[in-house]
Amino acid sequence: MDVLFASPQGHSHEPGAAVRCARRWAIVWRTTDTVPAAPRACSITVVAMTAQRDTAVDVIVVGAGFAGLYMLHRLRQLGLRARVFEAGSGVGGTWFWNRYPGARCDVESVQYSYEFSPELQQEWRWSEKYATQPEILRYIEHVADRFDLRRDITLNARVTDARFDATRGAWSVTTQAGRAPLECRFLVMAVGCLSSANRPQFPGLDQFAGRVLHTGEWPHERVDFAGQRVAVIGTGSSGIQCIPQIAAQAASLTVFQRTPNYAIPAWNEPLSEAADRQAKSDYAGLRARARQRPTGYAFPFNDAAAAATPAAERDANYEKFWRLGGLKFMGAFSDLFADEAANDTAAQFVRDKIRARVHDPAVAQRLTPTGVIGSKRLCVETGYYETFNRDNVELVDLRATPIEAFTPQGLRTRGDGREFRFDAVVFATGFDAMTGSVLRVDIVGRNGASLREAWRGGARTYLGLGVAGFPNLFLINGPGSPSVLSNMVQSIEHNVDWIARCLQQMQAAGWQRIEADAQAQEYWVAHCNSVVERTLRAREDSWYVGANIPGRARVFMPYAGGVPAYRARCDEVVAAGYRGFTLTAP
């Protein structure tokens, strides 16, 4: 579906008019029109927007992870005065909080890194194929220091609410730290997709006398499980990473699993000098290849269809991609997200691998997933399945015997009435993904509209960047963008660069406000839904649809159309004078 610009004032729509005009624009959707020609290039003079007040800045950024740091860097390049508020006591975002044993990225280190600085790419040396949390955090801290970003970051300052004053055209932002509200023209939510821990509520949990931990809010000090009886609840990505590490320390480990997940070996190893040199010799080419892949992550991909490949040849190719490891496995054939029968051949291959690695057939059966592979986030593991061959590890199936209540000594399961005793319980229950970290902040937009209320039936955005009813509010990797279905760092850089370009052009044209149009937003939501419905990605209950949060409306949140298609859409919007956004003068 294309759009046609329509102006209530009847002004011209020739190329360049959208850039020059400071009046309000409206849009009319039509199904046959072509995209208007791109605006002519213009010389841009950067003029600071800051109001002359000590309590005002041009832009407030919420969050100091990968997104917040790069956003701050780009805002400085534009000459804008910015302030970053971070809830934690240090920078790092997701990698500041997720310190659990075994935490590491599931995208290879050389690609899970910033692209914006060629010098940074050349000087940083990753030690492993898949970086651990401590190494990723050191990298982020290095970036903060190298680009002198800390002086504009306020730590230990969780933002509690933000309110838009339509009369002043400004956001008033309040933090938990008790400081006076700070005013800004633009508000950027760089809070991350996986940074709001999901803490299930169980009867009696507050009476449990042992230690309670969550993988997403891990203590900064080392946690020693030696000699302890430990429970881990959850077998998603964080559980699959921490379970082998805890099992090696604890006297006993009981794993409580609701749903088994597909997990592929990482085949992690030290990053050799040769591999480091190879990446650095052609980083530009590597990034360009990554941008052409739906995931924004460059790895081998087979264009053949599994459904059209003879069984023996198909299994040999699965073995090849199994040996490549991790997320690369889903590149074995081109039809794995489109054809259920083809997908089942990949799923069955992985199921057979699991059964071969677990000695006890009954335990292997409980660990073997059913259904579509890749509909939930594919997990990347090291020694996970072999952990259940250990004498000190037990697996409990929560579908057969759910947790009834916690007790002072441990917990009790329903059905068998079994009592467990533990010294520590680890919740590996993931996150209130995509929206939880945004909605932690009470955001009130135009005419008193609450974002929490606007998203009650599911998140709705335009391009994952803006929300109708909330002027001068930007999201980075918001719902409706590729985000968690892509290489997050590259998607962050794209969104930040888009926002920075928008602010630069607003300055040049004299625009004061930008807001997603409600009709454009509805179109984008419908488009996102239609794209994912043509795939197998939404077949299973997962955190992609918010199924892990009780009462959450089931909506597939990330954009499933792939990185190249999404970037093309964003470029078209800019070329058409920010089609789908309403722009106003002072």
Side-chain angles (χ1 to χ4, degrees):
M1 182 182 291
D2 297 310
V3 297
L4 173 72
F5 275 91
S7 167
Q9 293 83 8
H11 287 283
S12 170
H13 301 289
E14 78 275 13
V19 170
R20 294 193 301 274
C21 184
R23 292 181 179 268
R24 182 166 179 156
W25 292 87
I27 60 169
V28 175
W29 293 100
R30 296 206 337 208
T31 58
T32 57
D33 295 326
T34 57
V35 176
R40 288 193 293 267
C42 60
S43 174
I44 293 175
T45 302
V46 176
V47 180
M49 300 179 181
T50 311
Q52 299 303 307
R53 300 176 59 191
D54 292 337
T55 57
V57 293
D58 298 316
V59 187
I60 287 177
V61 180
V62 184
F66 271 107
L69 294 187
Y70 183 50
M71 189 75 253
L72 174 59
H73 178 65
R74 292 290 283 116
L75 292 169
R76 283 186 182 173
Q77 289 180 327
L78 295 179
L80 297 177
R81 184 182 174 197
R83 171 57 50 180
V84 177
F85 288 118
E86 166 57 48
S89 60
V91 301
T94 294
W95 299 105
F96 174 85
W97 299 105
N98 286 263
R99 299 165 179 261
Y100 60 85
R104 63 173 76 233
C105 189
D106 59 5
V107 172
E108 292 182 1
S109 308
V110 295
Q111 296 192 59
Y112 192 78
S113 57
Y114 287 120
E115 178 184 359
F116 73 88
S117 169
E119 295 79 14
L120 177 63
Q121 289 185 134
Q122 293 299 318
E123 70 192 25
W124 186 264
R125 175 66 163 90
W126 295 103
S127 67
E128 293 183 80
K129 181 180 177 182
Y130 293 98
T132 61
Q133 176 272 333
E135 186 169 18
I136 297 172
L137 184 57
R138 286 196 299 272
Y139 172 77
I140 298 172
E141 290 173 336
H142 170 74
V143 170
D145 293 332
R146 191 189 191 285
F147 296 96
D148 188 27
L149 300 176
R150 295 183 190 271
R151 59 186 166 88
D152 290 322
I153 300 172
T154 302
L155 301 174
N156 299 304
R158 181 178 295 281
V159 173
T160 57
D161 60 86
R163 281 166 167 71
F164 184 74
D165 184 333
T167 302
R168 294 181 53 77
W171 285 93
S172 178
V173 178
T174 305
T175 68
Q176 206 171 37
R179 299 176 177 85
L182 189 66
E183 191 173 278
C184 62
R185 283 275 312 286
F186 298 94
L187 178 63
V188 180
M189 300 299 291
V191 290
C193 297
L194 301 174
S195 57
S196 180
N198 173 32
R199 286 186 168 271
Q201 299 300 310
F202 290 101
L205 181 58
D206 58 341
Q207 299 175 24
F208 175 58
R211 190 170 191 181
V212 178
L213 300 160
H214 192 289
T215 52
E217 296 175 341
W218 203 259
H220 287 206
E221 70 274 9
R222 181 176 179 272
V223 178
D224 186 1
F225 292 111
Q228 293 191 3
R229 299 162 298 177
V230 182
V232 172
I233 299 173
T235 55
S237 182
S238 56
I240 284 171
Q241 288 185 336
C242 75
I243 283 167
Q245 302 290 321
I246 295 174
Q249 298 178 36
S252 67
L253 172 63
T254 306
V255 176
F256 292 86
Q257 172 189 269
R258 183 180 62 179
T259 306
N261 282 287
Y262 291 100
I264 309 297
W267 307 114
N268 192 40
E269 60 187 1
L271 189 68
S272 68
E273 290 293 336
D276 179 63
R277 285 196 303 272
Q278 181 180 3
K280 289 178 177 177
S281 67
D282 186 30
Y283 242 132
L286 177 63
R287 304 297 195 183
R289 291 190 296 275
R291 283 193 291 273
Q292 297 307 309
R293 301 300 312 146
T295 58
Y297 176 25
F299 56 81
F301 184 82
N302 178 21
D303 287 323
T309 304
E313 182 182 341
R314 186 175 61 220
D315 285 347
N317 198 55
Y318 280 138
E319 185 66 34
K320 171 186 172 183
F321 278 80
W322 175 267
R323 292 294 166 184
L324 290 176
L327 303 177
K328 297 176 182 178
F329 180 77
M330 296 305 291
F333 291 99
S334 63
D335 55 349
L336 298 186
F337 284 113
D339 185 319
E340 193 163 0
N343 185 281
D344 193 58
T345 64
Q348 190 58 49
F349 180 89
V350 176
R351 294 181 198 122
D352 291 342
K353 288 289 189 180
I354 294 170
R355 295 187 184 102
R357 294 169 64 184
V358 181
H359 298 162
D360 186 330
V363 175
Q365 185 60 34
R366 292 201 295 274
L367 288 167
T368 301
T370 59
V372 172
I373 184 170
S375 182
K376 293 184 177 182
R377 177 76 173 189
L378 195 64
C379 299
V380 180
E381 55 86 19
T382 298
Y384 173 67
Y385 294 106
E386 288 78 8
T387 299
F388 293 92
N389 297 328
R390 298 177 62 106
D391 293 335
N392 68 329
V393 176
E394 179 183 1
L395 178 66
V396 176
D397 183 357
L398 290 178
R399 291 193 180 274
T401 56
I403 295 172
E404 182 176 46
F406 275 79
T407 68
Q409 294 78 34
L411 62 83
R412 181 174 62 253
T413 50
R414 186 185 306 124
D416 57 0
R418 187 175 172 190
E419 299 271 356
F420 294 85
R421 291 176 175 267
F422 299 116
D423 301 299
V425 172
V426 175
F427 283 98
T429 47
F431 305 92
D432 184 353
M434 301 288 291
T435 59
S437 50
V438 177
L439 297 181
R440 270 186 176 182
V441 181
D442 184 16
I443 301 176
V444 178
R446 186 167 46 79
N447 299 326
S450 162
L451 187 61
R452 290 172 181 169
E453 187 60 34
W455 284 5
R456 188 175 298 279
R460 312 181 81 78
T461 75
Y462 182 46
L463 302 176
L465 289 162
V467 184
F470 298 85
N472 292 359
L473 171 70
F474 293 105
L475 308 175
I476 299 175
N477 274 4
S481 73
S483 58
V484 294
L485 295 182
S486 67
N487 180 350
M488 291 285 284
V489 182
Q490 264 58 66
S491 287
I492 283 168
E493 284 189 291
H494 170 266
N495 274 193
V496 169
D497 287 338
W498 192 97
I499 293 168
R501 181 182 181 186
C502 177
L503 294 179
Q504 186 179 47
Q505 293 189 348
M506 287 183 71
Q507 291 179 89
W511 293 329
Q512 296 298 305
R513 298 184 196 176
I514 182 169
E515 180 186 336
D517 183 88
Q519 193 175 3
Q521 178 171 282
E522 290 309 301
Y523 159 74
W524 184 249
V525 171
H527 171 69
C528 290
N529 290 337
S530 69
V531 167
V532 76
E533 285 166 5
R534 296 195 294 268
T535 76
L536 303 175
R537 286 192 178 276
R539 289 293 183 91
E540 309 288 329
D541 285 340
S542 69
W543 56 260
Y544 291 151
V545 298
N548 61 325
I549 306 298
R552 170 71 62 80
R554 184 187 169 108
V555 176
F556 193 86
M557 291 179 281
Y559 176 64
V563 167
Y566 174 76
R567 287 185 176 228
R569 290 272 181 161
C570 291
D571 289 346
E572 289 168 6
V573 166
V574 175
Y578 291 92
R579 178 185 67 193
F581 289 94
T582 299
L583 294 147
T584 57

